[in-house]
Amino acid sequence: QALNSLRVENGGTLLVDNGVLLTINGTLYDNNGTITLSGTGAITFGASATLNYSGTASQTIGAEFTNPTNLVINDAAGVTTNGNITIPGTLTLSAGLLNTGSNIVTVSSTLTSSVTGYSSTSYVNGFLKRGVAASGTYDFPVGTSSNYELASLTLNSQTGMNTITASFSPSITGTQPDGNTCLINGTGIYNMLN
């Protein structure tokens, strides 16, 4: 069974029966509904499909996450991962936090535009890993449940790195860098996230 788009509303249930393969070629909207896979029932996503979490109550990424190309977080109450997830296309952070805990959200595309829509109210609370090319400016909208810090990293003809993982901690352990001995491109680092 193939569908272009499907919406599972709050209070609604999508049950994919044993032996059924449901393919989403457009967007699967999960608006605080219940998605259940029975036995060998499965959901797959087409080459440019999107999984969109929307709504007003917190949600947990569950069995419906079977590697969609794109992921949209549009739930002001937040969405929590229950394991490591990989998005080969675009991660759009429209509303609410994407809470990873100790898990990692990987955006494997090396396009600088593959993480979009973020703000001080919509970012990754935890670990964000991005695929990187030799050159480009990559944004890492990360933070904690109460602190947001956008890290922007510009690469110029770098070699040897395929991915970079970022997270944010509001507390600094250890000592502050000494700008006389800790240098980046000849410029001293005198404070961090000031």
Side-chain angles (χ1 to χ4, degrees), residues 69-131:
T69 301
N70 306 299
L71 178 64
V72 175
I73 304 300
N74 191 20
D75 186 333
V79 176
T80 301
T81 64
N82 63 2
N84 295 329
I85 61 173
T86 299
I87 302 122
T90 300
L91 170 62
T92 303
L93 300 163
S94 299
L97 304 184
L98 177 54
N99 303 296
T100 71
S102 61
N103 301 310
I104 299 173
V105 172
T106 301
V107 180
S108 57
S109 170
T110 60
L111 296 175
T112 59
S113 60
S114 62
V115 176
T116 66
Y118 47 84
S119 69
S120 62
T121 58
S122 188
Y123 54 90
V124 176
N125 174 16
F127 298 93
L128 173 61
K129 183 178 188 178
R130 294 196 61 178

Side-chain angles (χ1 to χ4, degrees), residues 31 46 50 54-55 114 148 160 170 176 181 185 188 194:
N31 187 12
T50 299
S54 56
S114 62
Y148 169 67
Q176 183 169 324
T181 58
N185 293 331
N194 193 354

